[in-house]
Amino acid sequence: MVKAIAVGVPSLAPFFDENNGLGKDAQVASRPVRGSLQQGDTPGLYGGSKQPTVCDVDQLEQFLTDPRNEQKAQAWARALKITTGEIPEYLDRLTPVLLRHDTLVQNHDYKKGKAVPYDSLLQAGIAILVDTQGQPAVKCSCGNPLRPFAGDTSRISVKFEDGNKEWKGYDPSSVVAVRPAARPLEKITLVDVEDTDRGISRPVGTSGAKDAAFDTREKRAVPNLAGTTFGEARRALTDKGLAAGYESEGLPPDDARVEATDPPAGTELGFGEYVLLSVAGDAGSSDGSKDTPPPTTTPPAPSTSEPSTTGSSGPGSGSPPPSSAPPSSSPPPSSSPPPSSGSPSPPPTSSAPATSPPPAVTSSPPTMTSSPPQTTSAPPPETTSAPPATTSAPATTSAPATSEPATSGPATEEPTESATV
């Protein structure tokens, strides 16, 4: 359960009195994402403004170091895993930004002298302070400390209450959670939320007085990333001012091999635009199939359209499922009923086409219904191509012996590690 926090709606249990103007939110339309987990240095992840008063860090520091607020300061510091004596130095390293995505965080209310944690979804446009690795640290308007969201971004239930009504443009598939940048940042590159043609290079620990502007329309060529690892490709894109996208539900492992990019190498894009990375199917995948990314392990994403195997447009938790209808985790449960349509004979007859996605969809159900002993001749069980007893096994082997995987459901957890597009 995640509590929605809308722009301009005051907290019911703030650390700081919001009437004192500690922070100012803005009206910003949330952008779609290409992967729900993004690192804190992703170009264009955050926005900025020409107005340097998005968040008054000095005022927050004065409040937290005032002896009269010692109890709040202790609770605030504990939530961020620092001591009260480290508060001034910690605040000096934070940088004010505006969210450009609806963002998942672990928020904190101040109740009965303690910081009470709860998961929340902050609407795009909310002003926050980020740390030296680009992670949300403080919600500006109320001073409430923020920590990384630790849940599964694809399995959230957002609750709109206490004046936080569902906002226009809210899309569950386009929320983002931020992971720390691989290394401490010297500057954060932002997009002016009032003029998206204007980029802002903001030194970490400053509030806008030292901003340098640049043109976000300046074109950047997509580098040739085939053969590199996901970690290397992501860093190369970041250095270019481009964002790394992916379609699997979980963040691909850094050592996963990149096979292709969408758009292809040489294409010119503007600052912060996404480049979708297609990762080798055997990296983090249970079946090693390149065309069957089982990213959809979530119930809400039962595959409905079969073709897209390399969709470059869908957010991380959206379109990938369809591309791997057979292996997706949702089919197994839905395929168990179809047994009535299958008989021992279908498996053998459909074994050949089983290698292509479309046929596999219709042939897999029957294979489940036929009794394994009858449809599988001695060899099948021994075949090594089927081992990845994932739900996609039927499509990975030509032998109907893969009917057995249909009854097993391990794929429901493996997919999250898959990183194919």
Side-chain angles (χ1 to χ4, degrees):
M1 182 63 68
V2 174
K3 182 178 179 180
I5 305 295
V7 167
V9 177
S11 170
L12 297 181
F15 272 77
F16 187 91
D17 186 352
E18 299 192 42
N19 293 321
N20 290 335
L22 181 65
K24 297 179 181 178
D25 297 338
Q27 294 298 321
V28 178
S30 178
R31 308 174 59 225
V33 296
R34 296 294 181 269
S36 60
L37 296 177
Q38 291 292 326
Q39 293 191 323
D41 58 351
T42 300
L45 177 65
Y46 298 122
S49 171
K50 295 178 182 178
Q51 301 177 358
T53 55
V54 170
C55 196
D56 192 336
V57 183
D58 291 337
Q59 188 179 10
L60 179 59
E61 182 176 334
Q62 291 171 10
F63 175 80
L64 292 173
T65 55
D66 188 327
R68 293 173 297 180
N69 302 317
E70 183 177 358
Q71 188 174 24
K72 280 190 174 182
Q74 290 177 345
W76 191 92
R78 273 195 295 270
L80 292 169
K81 303 186 183 305
I82 61 174
T83 65
T84 52
E86 294 173 318
I87 289 178
E89 182 182 354
Y90 180 78
L91 288 173
D92 287 343
R93 297 196 302 268
L94 301 184
T95 308
V97 301
L98 293 168
L99 295 178
R100 296 185 74 211
H101 302 275
D102 293 339
T103 306
L104 290 164
V105 297
Q106 183 188 73
N107 206 338
H108 294 79
D109 275 340
Y110 182 71
K111 295 179 178 179
K112 297 180 180 180
K114 296 181 179 180
V116 181
Y118 65 97
D119 290 329
S120 68
L121 178 66
L122 305 183
Q123 182 184 4
I126 286 180
I128 65 170
L129 291 173
V130 297
D131 65 17
T132 55
Q133 288 180 289
Q135 285 200 144
V138 181
K139 184 174 182 292
C140 288
S141 64
C142 57
N144 291 5
L146 306 174
R147 295 285 297 165
F149 176 76
D152 185 339
T153 57
S154 64
R155 296 175 182 273
I156 60 172
S157 176
V158 181
K159 194 173 185 180
F160 295 86
E161 60 180 5
D162 299 327
N164 296 283
K165 298 179 180 179
E166 183 171 329
W167 48 83
K168 182 179 180 181
Y170 166 64
D171 181 357
S173 67
S174 289
V175 300
V176 66
V178 182
R179 294 292 178 262
R183 51 182 180 260
L185 307 176
E186 294 183 357
K187 61 182 180 180
I188 296 179
T189 49
L190 316 171
V191 173
D192 191 323
V193 297
E194 298 170 351
D195 178 8
T196 55
D197 289 342
R198 177 177 179 267
I200 300 172
S201 179
R202 177 169 295 171
V204 168
T206 65
S207 298
K210 298 181 180 181
D211 286 356
F214 63 91
D215 190 345
T216 60
R217 296 169 297 179
E218 181 181 342
K219 298 303 180 183
R220 306 145 202 279
V222 176
N224 184 359
L225 302 174
T228 64
T229 65
F230 181 82
E232 293 169 339
R234 201 201 68 78
R235 286 191 292 275
L237 290 173
T238 298
D239 292 342
K240 280 273 190 179
L242 300 173
Y246 59 92
E247 285 197 336
S248 58
E249 287 183 356
L251 187 66
D254 277 352
D255 60 357
R257 288 290 166 184
V258 174
E259 295 187 320
T261 61
D262 183 9
T267 305
E268 296 191 331
L269 303 174
F271 174 79
E273 290 191 55
Y274 279 101
V275 175
L276 207 59
L277 300 176
S278 176
V279 181
D282 57 352
S285 172
S286 58
D287 62 359
S289 170
K290 299 178 183 179
D291 297 323
T292 54
T296 52
T297 59
T298 64
S303 48
T304 53
S305 69
E306 60 288 43
S308 99
T309 55
T310 58
S312 63
S313 58
S317 57
S319 53
S323 65
S324 55
S328 69
S329 59
S330 51
S334 61
S335 61
S336 57
S340 57
S341 64
S343 65
S345 54
T349 58
S350 59
S351 59
T355 56
S356 62
V361 180
T362 57
S363 62
S364 60
T367 57
M368 313 173 25
T369 59
S370 58
S371 70
Q374 298 178 341
T375 58
T376 63
S377 53
E382 298 298 326
T383 55
T384 56
S385 56
T390 62
T391 53
S392 61
T396 59
T397 79
S398 59
T402 55
S403 58
E404 208 170 40
T407 60
S408 61
T412 54
E413 299 202 13
E414 296 302 318
T416 55
E417 300 179 322
S418 165
T420 52
V421 177

